[in-house]
Structure formats: structure tokens, C-alpha cells
Amino acid sequence: MGVEIGSRGVPTGASDVEPTVGVPTPPSAIVGHNALASPRIIGAMRAGFAAAFVLLVGSPAHADGPGPRRGFQMHYGVGVAVPAGNASGARGDTLGARYAWQVVPLDLGLGAKVSDDLYVGGVLRVGVGAEGSDTRVERACEDDDGTIDNEIACSAASYQVGVELRYGLGSADQVNPWIGYGIAADFGHQSIHDRVRARRETTTARGVEWARLAVGLDHRMGRVGGLGPALAVGLGQYTHSRTEVNGEPVFDGPIEQTALHAWITLTVRMVLFP
Amino acid sequence: MKRRLGLLLALASLGCQSNAGLHYDNVHLSVSDEAGVDVSPANSCLTLPLLLGSQVEQRHRIDAQLELVLHADRDRVLVRFDGSGVRAELAREQLAEPLELDVESPSGASYRLVLIGGCPKPST
């Protein structure tokens, strides 16, 4: 009970099948010696292969977009960062208790588009702000003595230096949504300066930002410049701490109880060669 | 004119208000040997830090085989001895009460440590 090849009027030669330009033709469609290979099925298979090709290799350039670009790319962003989670496992030591929300005056990235869709680069981020919500520090930092001079100066900052990957979902288009992942060295810095007693205490926590998960949207104005918003959640852990008093280190060592923290950052980015 | 002068004087007097700066909690350490002779380290005062997350650590060698470690954050002071299993903790609220510890060095010598809040002069 074998199947009779060619007995149902099915085209049997490769020359009978017109291949579509730019889409690989499946071998079964070329051979065409199967009883199931009717023109409708062959068409469906072609469509399936075409869809798989597009999914695997990438979408074709949109006619209205500036087209994809490879090579050097950089971005500069500004925004705000909101703390979440815990700076350490000690009671009450939340990231928000140490650091208030911060202005991000510098979010600088330098790298390259290694393919039409994938960007790899280094990144430096700086956030600056005031002391956090801890009531003892807040009270100490308040300048409420009625004098004009600010006798107690408090400040806080955060830094991340690392690498990031971004994948463009519309790299050829005018509007390019993207997703990103980054890993970085993570620093949190706070300072209180008592000018009356001439005592400046600073503490810098350092660790790793294990995952900076980001989404963004670049509006590409040609192939040279772009602009768009980005939202990132940087999940990190401080592992070491260094305290200085008047510039002299009084402690430099590991944090006994580590914990997870996050910086939620919203920026506006200008992109060169998007 | 008089009103301006008055305003200036008021501003000047505000500027002259004294401000003592911030309050710092200190602990003073004293160590004596079994004969009662004071063998306290030279820098025997520790100021607790102010910031959340700040830490201070001092190490003092008591004798060849015994080292005292004072570790403080803004809420507590920990005392431990490298060379002996003795350790103790003093909360910031308890600084007014002296903490007394007797410790024996691996060398066989005995020491008494007293930790109490307050120092003649704040230092680190």
C-alpha cells in the first residue's frame, strides 16, 4: 500500500516551483515528490519558512525608517533615580533611609552596534541628592538654628560603572523600542559635614549591580541622532563599606548582613548614531 | 533709615547666635592588669558615627597575644578580643552604664576592661 508518486497531477519538477526572491525554499518544496505536496501546502510551507526566516534573521527595513546602523554609538542621558529595597540587612537600613531620590545629571554610554539590533557598551551613571528619610540624620542635617550660615552640610551620591547590552526591536525604524541588561560596579556615598566642630563623616558602600533591566524608546532622527525616554531598574547589593572621618579611614571592610536594593531610574537619552 | 539699621542689626544678631554643632556619642575605654595598673591604649576614646551605615573600628594590642577590637556603628558598640572568645555588646542607650569585662590572655595574664560613655574630648 504505497503512495503513488505523481499520480494525482502534482508538479514533480523543481522547475515547476517558482521560488520567492529572498526567501529560502524548503527542500521538500523543490523536490515535490510527496503526495501531500499540493500547491496550497507548498504555499503554506513557503509562508511558514518566510516567517521563520524573518523571526530568526530579523525584520526587513521599513520603508519609512532610516534603516539599521552598525558601529560606534554613544548616549547621554539625564533623569531621576528613586531608591528601593535595603542597603544592608541591619534594622531600618533601607536604601531610602540612606539616600533620598536623586537627580541623575550623567548617564553616559559608549559602545557599538555589533549587529543591526544589538548594542554592547560601557556605561557611567552618576546620581546626586540629599540625605535619606532616616529621622536622626534628617534632624542633624536640618539647618534650623536661625543663622544664615549652613553649619551642617549633608549630601549623597551614587555611581555605577559597568557594561550594558541593548536589543532594538525596531532597529531600522524611526521609532525603536529596545530592551536592555547591564551589570556594573555599584557605589553609594553619603556625607555629613559639621562645620562648627570641624568634623566630616563620609561613608561609601560598594558592591555589584547584578542586573540593570531597562526598556526605552528611541526616536531616530535620521541615522545620526536620536532622542527618547528610558526606564531602568538596577538590582544591586552592597558588600563593602568604608567610613572616613576628616579624610582618615576609620573602617574599611565587608558588610556583615547584605541585602538587595534597587535604583529605579527614569531618564531622557540623546543617542549619537542610533 | 532707622528701620534699615534695625533690620541690619537684627540680621547681624542672628548671625552671631552661637551653635554648638552636632552631638556625638563617645565611649571611653580603660584597661587595667591584675595588679590594677592602667594599661589603657593611648587613643582610648571612640566616637560613634552619625550616618546610617557608617562604622568605626579600633584595634588595640593589650599584650603580645591579646588584641582588643572595638567596633561601633551609630547604634551600638561591640567589644571582642582576638586571642580570646570574650565578646560583648553595648547599645547606644546603655552607654551611661559602665560595661566591665574580665579577660584572660593566652599568655596567662588577666585584664579588666571598662567601657563607659563619654570622653574628655571627642575623637575618632
Side-chain angles (χ1 to χ4, degrees):
Chain A
M1 277 260 316
V3 176
E4 199 174 326
I5 295 171
S7 65
R8 298 164 71 181
V10 176
T12 53
S15 58
D16 297 328
V17 180
E18 284 291 325
T20 304
V21 175
V23 178
T25 307
S28 64
I30 296 170
V31 173
H33 290 297
N34 195 307
L36 299 173
S38 69
R40 188 176 290 175
I41 291 171
I42 290 169
M45 289 175 77
R46 275 187 187 162
F49 269 89
F53 183 81
V54 165
L55 279 174
L56 290 172
V57 177
S59 58
H62 281 211
D64 60 342
R69 202 190 164 283
R70 294 186 183 192
F72 175 76
Q73 184 180 105
M74 69 174 286
H75 77 261
Y76 170 76
V78 292
V80 292
V82 178
N86 294 307
S88 81
R91 189 167 50 89
D93 192 8
T94 63
L95 199 67
R98 286 194 190 189
Y99 317 110
W101 66 272
Q102 297 186 340
V103 171
V104 178
L106 180 70
D107 177 2
L108 181 69
L110 291 172
K113 291 279 294 294
V114 294
S115 74
D116 288 353
D117 300 314
L118 187 64
Y119 164 89
V120 182
V123 66
L124 167 67
R125 261 181 307 273
V126 177
V128 291
E131 73 278 2
S133 61
D134 176 68
T135 49
R136 278 171 64 189
V137 176
E138 263 193 325
R139 206 177 305 131
C141 295
E142 270 178 17
D143 186 32
D144 57 355
D145 61 357
T147 65
I148 296 168
D149 293 334
N150 184 15
E151 288 89 357
I152 312 297
C154 298
S155 65
S158 64
Y159 317 90
Q160 289 91 33
V161 186
V163 292
E164 64 178 354
L165 307 171
R166 281 199 304 273
Y167 186 83
L169 302 171
S171 302
D173 304 342
Q174 194 164 21
V175 176
N176 176 25
W178 54 264
I179 53 174
Y181 168 82
I183 186 167
D186 191 7
F187 302 89
H189 178 82
Q190 49 186 158
S191 165
I192 184 166
H193 184 193
D194 180 350
R195 294 192 169 104
V196 179
R197 305 280 286 267
R199 185 180 191 276
R200 182 195 294 270
E201 178 183 317
T202 61
T203 289
T204 304
R206 66 180 191 274
V208 179
E209 189 177 72
W210 294 108
R212 188 175 187 83
L213 307 171
V215 292
L217 201 67
D218 288 346
H219 181 76
R220 303 172 71 221
M221 293 165 284
R223 287 160 58 113
V224 177
L227 183 74
L231 176 68
V233 178
L235 299 167
Q237 192 175 34
Y238 295 136
T239 53
H240 284 76
S241 177
R242 178 184 173 95
T243 301
E244 293 183 1
V245 173
N246 293 339
E248 294 293 321
V250 293
F251 178 78
D252 192 349
I255 295 171
E256 280 184 12
Q257 300 169 276
T258 59
L260 272 181
H261 67 257
W263 283 107
I264 301 161
T265 311
L266 182 65
T267 53
V268 175
R269 302 173 348 119
M270 288 170 282
V271 187
L272 190 64
F273 307 122
Chain B
M1 184 66 184
K2 275 187 180 175
R3 284 180 70 180
R4 277 190 185 172
L5 198 63
L7 185 63
L8 277 174
L9 283 172
L11 284 172
S13 67
L14 278 175
C16 290
Q17 276 182 6
S18 64
N19 187 318
L22 297 173
H23 169 76
Y24 298 93
D25 289 312
N26 303 297
V27 285
H28 183 260
L29 167 75
S30 59
V31 185
S32 54
D33 64 14
E34 46 205 327
V37 176
D38 184 18
V39 290
S40 300
N43 182 15
S44 56
C45 184
L46 181 141
T47 301
L48 272 64
L50 291 173
L51 296 169
L52 193 54
S54 285
Q55 297 177 76
V56 177
E57 193 168 277
Q58 288 184 356
R59 289 177 172 269
H60 302 290
R61 183 149 293 284
I62 306 300
D63 67 21
Q65 294 177 53
L66 187 68
E67 188 177 48
L68 164 69
V69 181
L70 275 182
H71 185 105
D73 59 24
R74 65 179 201 164
D75 294 317
R76 62 189 181 145
V77 182
L78 289 168
V79 186
R80 72 168 198 272
F81 293 89
D82 286 353
S84 160
V86 176
R87 57 188 298 148
E89 180 178 328
L90 194 61
R92 179 170 161 263
E93 296 79 22
Q94 301 170 322
L95 290 179
E97 297 291 320
L99 173 74
E100 297 188 3
L101 283 174
D102 291 317
V103 61
E104 190 170 326
S105 168
S107 65
S110 293
Y111 299 95
R112 166 157 288 199
L113 174 146
V114 179
L115 202 63
I116 189 164
C119 288
K121 274 185 173 181
S123 70
T124 59

